[in-house]
Amino acid sequence: MIRRPPRSTLSSSSAASDVYKRQYQRRVRGCRKPAMQPTLLALLLLAPMAAANGRHDLHGNVIKGLAPQELAVSDSGKLGDETPTIPLWKQCDPSTRGPAPYTPPVSRRYNTTAGPVEGKINVHLVPHTHDDTGWQVTVDQYFYTEVYYVIDTVIQNLINNPDRKFIYVEIGFFARWWEEASDQKRDMARKVVANKQLEFINGGWCMHDEASPLWTAMVDQTTRGHQFILKNFGKDASPRGTWQIDPFGHSNTEAWLLGAEAGMESLFWGRMDYQDRNMRFNKQEGQNGFEWIWEGSQSLGASAQIFAGDLYGSGSGGYSTWFNFDDSDGQVQDDPARHDYNIDQWVDKFVQNARSQANHTISEHQMWACGTDFQYQNADHWYTNLDKLIHYVNLNGSVNAFYSTPSLYTCLLYTSPSPRDS
């Protein structure tokens, strides 16, 4: 790559300028017209391929050689993973099957007003995205090709239905969206934050690593994000929990300093040692469940305690869940007149998944992280399907489902009856 000398050097030294010109001319020799600078050309070529994440390369292909445990971190379930426990209506004889078990409401407005119900398995659906502030491509590329549309369409979807919720972490990206947003969009953002629909969690400029940085760097970048939130949304929008779903390993500094001592109520992650996780999953050595009270500092004692845990994923950990609605596959179809009617299978899958997760949960509450890397660029995909699932799952009544956030989940754990016998 040709590095252009600083502007001050070029303006004062014709020799330096001539060197730069000769280098550049050699690179473009043979072209009919001057080519753009190599760095800019590379950025433009990579921009359409900015969908790279933890499991995909720049071209969208799954990275070869990844361990199963690594693939599980961002893996999502799908319809068909489980054998149905009921006869599927579309597969039954049309002459004898009777009416469809579920049909759309006449108004086509789905009931998403549900909340926790004592005595039932309560599924907290937590819509989220994980947006790396630079990795395989630059922050600029991620923002302009993906993250801008995440924030923009999520806020519109939250406005459309006051029951919907969303959590957001990377304030570095949100601040860039804020700079470009119109006054109308800013007002919309303030409204959904005030309504507790959009919750900032972590609230740092990025989701920092826990192993490599000095504690001062962790504090500084968190402070910068919190200052933005305080300035534009007020103290009521201050983050109440931490969401460290992608760092490779976790430190007691995060637990006591960036967690409990910073006023956070919870700490959730998506990666933990697979041997530790398998031990807890198999209920060995007296362990059960993936959540506990972590005392991050022995010397500070109780003041350094924080509620912490590993997300369940689809059984193997990770920061996704039992389904994924970010693309056109596996949508929820509730119109009996259509050949791909599948809402009965979706409800059956949902209930099976909730009961499976309940075997590894020590309370009647469980959290499903609905999303993964750079998702919700068209938030309609997720929210349209989640609205339907909440409506029909609660009509079924076997388990209870509703929109939630990690803060609501943690609060209910502290106030709910003593954990059930699992």
Side-chain angles (χ1 to χ4, degrees):
M1 181 176 69
I2 302 171
R3 296 189 180 276
R4 184 167 183 164
R7 185 179 299 275
S8 59
T9 303
L10 286 174
S11 60
S12 60
S13 172
S14 59
S17 180
D18 290 342
V19 168
Y20 172 76
K21 288 179 181 178
R22 286 196 298 271
Q23 290 179 328
Y24 186 73
Q25 288 168 355
R26 282 198 295 270
R27 292 293 299 268
V28 302
R29 186 173 296 137
C31 298
R32 292 186 177 181
K33 57 182 179 180
M36 63 182 69
Q37 294 185 34
T39 302
L40 178 58
L41 176 60
L43 291 176
L44 292 177
L45 289 174
L46 288 174
M49 300 183 289
N53 53 45
R55 62 190 291 125
H56 297 102
D57 62 19
L58 294 176
H59 305 281
N61 303 312
V62 175
I63 299 171
K64 295 181 179 180
L66 290 177
Q69 293 83 3
E70 173 62 23
L71 291 172
V73 169
S74 58
D75 206 10
S76 306
K78 59 183 181 298
L79 192 64
D81 285 345
E82 299 79 19
T83 301
T85 63
I86 59 171
L88 300 182
W89 184 79
K90 69 180 180 181
Q91 296 178 359
C92 295
D93 185 347
S95 64
T96 60
R97 67 187 178 188
Y102 306 101
T103 55
V106 175
S107 65
R108 287 284 180 169
R109 292 191 63 84
Y110 298 94
N111 183 4
T112 55
T113 60
V117 175
E118 187 174 338
K120 280 190 174 182
I121 295 174
N122 287 281
V123 179
H124 295 245
L125 299 173
V126 179
H128 80 103
T129 181
H130 174 56
D131 301 335
D132 296 279
T133 46
W135 186 48
Q136 295 198 44
V137 294
T138 67
V139 175
D140 289 345
Q141 288 170 285
Y142 276 135
F143 179 74
Y144 281 110
T145 61
E146 302 188 57
V147 179
Y148 174 87
Y149 303 100
V150 172
I151 300 171
D152 213 58
T153 63
V154 162
I155 289 176
Q156 183 60 61
N157 271 269
L158 297 180
I159 288 289
N160 291 343
N161 183 346
D163 299 324
R164 294 170 175 169
K165 298 188 184 299
F166 195 80
I167 61 171
Y168 200 73
V169 174
E170 296 87 3
I171 301 303
F173 278 134
F174 195 92
R176 292 198 60 171
W177 177 86
W178 186 261
E179 290 174 0
E180 298 189 6
S182 64
D183 289 342
Q184 180 186 15
K185 288 185 176 181
R186 290 187 178 189
D187 288 342
M188 291 166 61
R190 291 190 183 100
K191 180 178 180 179
V192 295
V193 170
N195 289 347
K196 307 299 183 183
Q197 293 177 260
L198 174 60
E199 178 179 312
F200 296 113
I201 188 163
N202 263 28
W205 208 244
C206 66
M207 184 182 295
H208 57 237
D209 183 39
E210 298 180 34
S212 300
L214 291 173
W215 66 269
T216 52
M218 298 163 70
V219 169
D220 285 348
Q221 77 91 21
T222 301
T223 300
R224 183 177 184 184
H226 284 214
Q227 287 175 334
F228 172 87
I229 295 171
L230 181 64
K231 175 183 177 181
N232 294 289
F233 296 97
K235 63 180 181 180
D236 288 342
S238 297
R240 296 172 55 187
T242 53
W243 188 255
Q244 290 288 100
I245 59 174
D246 201 27
F248 292 77
H250 305 280
S251 68
N252 63 341
T253 301
E254 179 68 31
W256 76 265
L257 181 59
L258 279 301
E261 292 292 316
M264 301 297 186
E265 301 166 359
S266 61
L267 166 60
F268 295 102
W269 57 80
R271 300 178 185 271
M272 67 184 293
D273 182 84
Y274 73 94
Q275 297 170 102
D276 187 2
R277 196 178 198 286
N278 289 343
M279 179 264 292
R280 296 176 185 277
F281 185 87
N282 295 322
K283 304 179 182 179
Q284 298 169 337
E285 300 183 23
Q287 301 295 328
N288 185 18
F290 302 97
E291 299 169 342
W292 57 88
I293 301 297
W294 185 359
E295 186 174 291
S297 170
Q298 185 176 7
S299 59
L300 292 175
S303 69
Q305 292 181 353
I306 189 170
F307 180 76
D310 184 47
L311 297 174
Y312 193 78
S314 56
S316 300
Y319 48 84
S320 190
T321 193
W322 299 100
F323 45 71
N324 194 307
F325 296 122
D326 208 61
D327 53 30
S328 60
D329 296 332
Q331 304 295 295
V332 178
Q333 174 58 273
D334 61 346
D335 187 347
R338 304 304 174 192
H339 74 282
D340 53 351
Y341 177 86
N342 63 11
I343 183 56
D344 53 346
Q345 186 177 1
W346 270 113
V347 171
D348 182 68
K349 170 184 169 58
F350 193 105
V351 173
Q352 285 193 64
N353 296 154
R355 288 174 173 167
S356 173
Q357 189 164 336
N359 289 327
H360 303 278
T361 308
I362 61 175
S363 81
E364 61 188 20
H365 296 276
Q366 53 186 250
M367 182 163 57
W368 294 14
C370 300
T372 183
D373 299 334
F374 297 100
Q375 295 208 334
Y376 289 81
Q377 293 177 46
N378 179 353
D380 285 341
H381 277 266
W382 268 101
Y383 283 114
T384 298
N385 288 287
L386 287 176
D387 284 358
K388 292 180 180 180
L389 280 182
I390 292 171
H391 177 89
Y392 290 113
V393 164
N394 292 338
L395 277 180
N396 175 275
S398 299
V399 301
N400 184 51
F402 52 95
Y403 285 115
S404 189
T405 68
S407 297
L408 290 174
Y409 172 75
T410 303
C411 181
L412 284 168
L413 288 181
Y414 276 109
T415 59
S416 65
S418 56
R420 61 181 173 80
D421 180 10
S422 58

